[in-house]
Amino acid sequence: MREKIVAGNWKMNNDLAETEELISKLKLQMVKEPEAKVMVAPGFPNLYPTFQALKDTPVIVAAQNMHENESGAYTGEVSAAMLKSVGVTTVILGHSERRAYFHEDSAILKKKVLTAINNDMTVIFCFGEELEDRKNDKHFDLVEKQLKEALFDLPKSAWKNIILAYEPVWAIGTGETASPEQAQEMHKHIRTLLDKNVGKEVADSTSILYGGSVKPNNAKEIFAKEDVDGGLIGGASLNAVDFVAIVNSF
Ligand code: PEP
C-alpha cells in the first residue's frame, strides 16, 4: 500500500530558538494522528533537538543531505552513522538545490542512495526537469534519465526504503506550481517507468510526492490526483499553520 506523506524541507532556515518555536507551534496545530505520514527536515545542527522534541509524536525527522562515504577525511560532511546516532533514519537526496549549487550528479547520488540503503535508511529521492526541458518537450526523457542513472540498478529489496519526490525545478520556490494535471501526468509516467524497470509490485507500492510551491490553497487539488501520494514542501513548511493545513489536505 502506498503511504500518504507530507515532508517539510526547512532548508537553511531557522536557528535553534526558531526551530524550537516552529516545533511548538506544529505540536499545537497538528492532530495526534494525522492521515498522512509527516516528516520535517531541519538543518544539521537542529536535527537532534528536533528529534528530541518530536519523539512523543508520529512526526519523523529527516536530514537534508548526507555524504556517500561511511566515514573518514571529508571535512564538513555528515555520514549515515552520524545521522542514525542522533535518531535520524530518513534523508533527502538529490534535491535540485544540491544538484545545482553543489554539483551533485547522478553518479554521486547513486552512491549516496546506496550508502543510505546499506545503512537501512529511508531516502526521499528528488528529481525533476528544468523549465528549458519542459519547453523543449524533454521532461519525460529527462526524468527517466535521472531515475535510471541513480536508482534503477538498486536491488528490488531496496525499494521499500525509497520515496520519490518529483520536483519540477521551475516550480520550486517560484510560486509557479505544476497544474494538478501536469503533476498527475508526470507521476503516472514515473509509475509506468517503475513498472517497466523494477516491477509492478514496486510501482504499486512506492509513494511519489510532488514538490514545487505547494501551499494550503492548492494542496488538496494536487493530492487528489491518483498517482500523487503527497508532497515535499519548502517555503510553506516554515509556517506551522500552512504546513498543518497541507498535512490535512487529503
Ligand atoms: C523544495 O524545496 O523541495 C520545495 C518544494 O520548495 P517550495 O515548496 O518552496 O517550492
Side-chain angles (χ1 to χ4, degrees):
M1 239 265 292
R2 272 145 52 190
E3 283 184 304
K4 293 177 176 144
I5 300 167
V6 176
N9 176 10
W10 292 349
K11 308 195 184 187
M12 198 174 72
N13 294 298
N14 292 344
D15 62 16
L16 178 58
E18 290 162 337
T19 300
E20 286 169 345
E21 194 185 328
L22 179 54
I23 294 168
S24 304
K25 287 182 182 163
L26 276 178
K27 285 172 108 169
L28 279 176
Q29 299 286 330
M30 201 149 7
V31 293
K32 276 213 159 45
E33 288 175 16
E35 205 182 309
K37 193 178 234 186
V38 181
M39 303 181 177
V40 294
F44 286 132
N46 294 322
L47 282 170
Y48 187 59
T50 303
F51 173 75
Q52 287 294 336
L54 290 171
K55 72 179 178 202
D56 57 342
T57 77
V59 180
I60 290 166
V61 181
Q64 298 173 19
N65 182 34
M66 186 195 97
H67 197 262
E68 62 272 25
N69 285 318
E70 298 286 350
S71 66
Y74 301 100
T75 302
E77 292 295 325
V78 169
S79 71
M82 289 173 183
L83 294 176
K84 289 180 77 176
S85 73
V86 294
V88 175
T89 58
T90 302
V91 61
I92 299 172
L93 293 175
H95 192 280
S96 63
E97 288 150 17
R98 299 292 319 169
R99 292 176 190 258
Y101 307 143
F102 303 97
H103 316 295
E104 293 193 3
D105 58 12
S106 290
I108 291 174
L109 291 172
K110 185 175 178 173
K111 287 187 192 159
K112 289 192 179 208
V113 171
L114 205 57
T115 302
I117 297 297
N118 288 340
N119 281 279
D120 205 21
M121 295 182 74
T122 296
V123 173
I124 302 176
F125 185 80
C126 306
F127 56 98
E129 82 281 1
E130 310 247 356
L131 187 56
E132 208 51 28
D133 304 313
R134 187 163 276 265
K135 279 188 180 156
N136 294 326
D137 211 17
K138 295 258 184 295
H139 46 302
F140 293 121
D141 292 346
L142 196 277
V143 159
E144 179 168 5
K145 186 171 182 289
Q146 289 175 322
L147 291 175
K148 193 169 247 159
E149 287 176 348
L151 302 183
F152 286 166
D153 287 343
L154 285 171
K156 219 176 202 168
S157 58
W159 283 87
K160 64 177 188 322
N161 286 3
I162 305 268
I163 298 161
L164 296 180
Y166 167 60
E167 298 207 302
V169 180
W170 48 272
I172 296 179
T174 59
E176 186 93 31
T177 323
S179 68
E181 291 70 33
Q182 284 173 319
Q184 169 56 24
E185 184 183 37
M186 182 57 89
H187 283 225
K188 192 172 176 32
H189 173 65
I190 295 162
R191 223 175 279 291
T192 307
L193 290 172
L194 288 179
D195 189 359
K196 232 173 44 189
N197 292 277
V198 195
K200 184 166 171 15
E201 206 183 308
V202 166
D204 288 344
S205 59
T206 301
S207 296
I208 308 176
L209 315 185
Y210 168 79
S213 299
V214 176
K215 309 285 176 204
N217 65 2
N218 59 22
K220 216 176 198 114
E221 242 193 310
I222 297 172
F223 295 172
K225 290 296 177 189
E226 194 184 337
D227 288 292
V228 178
D229 302 306
L232 180 56
I233 319 298
S237 70
L238 294 168
N239 178 302
V241 173
D242 287 353
F243 185 62
V244 171
I246 294 170
V247 169
N248 294 337
S249 291
F250 290 94

